[in-house]
Amino acid sequence: MIVNILHSTWCNAALLGGLIFLLMGYLIKHYPPKSINTWYGYRTFLSTRNQEMWDAGNKDAAMVSRQVGSILVLLGICCALFFDRQSDWFMYITVGAVVAGVLYITGYTEWMLSNEFDEEGQRRIPPKL
């Protein structure tokens, strides 16, 4: 029974990764990490410079994570319907989409932080309300 589920096309990386991204984006949006020392949150070199950058980075990462998660869930459902078995191309598409999603979340958030803050961590532009 469990083997049949694991080998079906409904058990794919895009669907599972998309659900994880949706959950992560929801949790960070509704329960944002309070400080840089919190055990969860968007943690990179830029986002841990100061508290203001930490808050902005987590806000952007949560938004993008929900968007990427939605796209991955849709892709996972489409792949599950289109493919009749877990072939090589099925794996390339579903795993590749998750890797591209992670790279996009990180790249977009780092780009937003570098545009919004200067080298010393001071805000260049006023925050959006």
Side-chain angles (χ1 to χ4, degrees), residues 41-99:
Y42 179 78
R43 186 177 310 275
T44 61
F45 177 73
L46 275 180
S47 68
T48 56
R49 280 197 179 166
N50 59 40
Q51 187 65 39
E52 193 176 15
M53 289 181 84
W54 172 257
D55 294 337
N58 278 288
K59 181 181 173 191
D60 288 339
M63 176 196 62
V64 176
S65 177
R66 289 190 320 270
Q67 293 170 348
V68 168
S70 300
I71 293 169
L72 286 175
V73 166
L74 288 174
L75 179 70
I77 291 170
C78 290
C79 284
L81 294 173
F82 182 75
F83 288 94
D84 57 348
R85 64 183 179 84
Q86 291 184 357
S87 63
D88 288 342
W89 279 106
F90 176 81
M91 295 295 178
Y92 296 151
I93 292 169
T94 58
V95 173
V98 173
V99 170

Side-chain angles (χ1 to χ4, degrees), residues 97-110:
V98 173
V99 170
V102 169
L103 292 173
Y104 181 76
I105 291 170
T106 306
Y108 180 82
T109 306
E110 293 297 301

